[in-house]
């Protein structure tokens, strides 16, 4: 490929990646996340007595 075709191809790939990133953010990225899997905590350890804990 000559330089002009290569530059046009590269710019189109970058613009497609940017458009996909914006699309992904708008439709999935800014939604509130809900955790379905995580760490199950049975007990917590604390040095603070219960009557002082907020």
């Amino acid at each position: 490929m000559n330089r002009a075709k290569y530059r046009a191809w590269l710019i189109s790939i970058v613009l497609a990646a940017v458009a996909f990133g914006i699309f992904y953010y708008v439709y999935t990225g800014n939604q509130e996340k809900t955790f379905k899997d995580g760490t199950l905590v049975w007990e917590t350890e604390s040095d603070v007595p219960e009557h002082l804990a907020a």
Side-chain angles (χ1 to χ4, degrees):
M1 280 196 271
N2 62 14
R3 193 174 288 193
K5 284 184 181 179
Y6 180 72
R7 185 178 294 148
W9 179 81
L10 189 59
I11 289 172
S12 66
I13 295 298
V14 169
L15 290 177
V18 169
F20 177 76
I22 292 171
F23 175 80
Y24 180 79
Y25 176 75
V26 167
Y27 288 103
T28 62
N30 61 357
Q31 295 175 356
E32 185 175 331
K33 305 289 189 264
T34 57
F35 295 102
K36 295 181 181 174
D37 294 329
T39 304
L40 180 61
V41 178
W42 289 95
E43 294 180 22
T44 58
E45 291 186 24
S46 176
D47 293 335
V48 179
E50 290 185 19
H51 69 281
L52 295 178

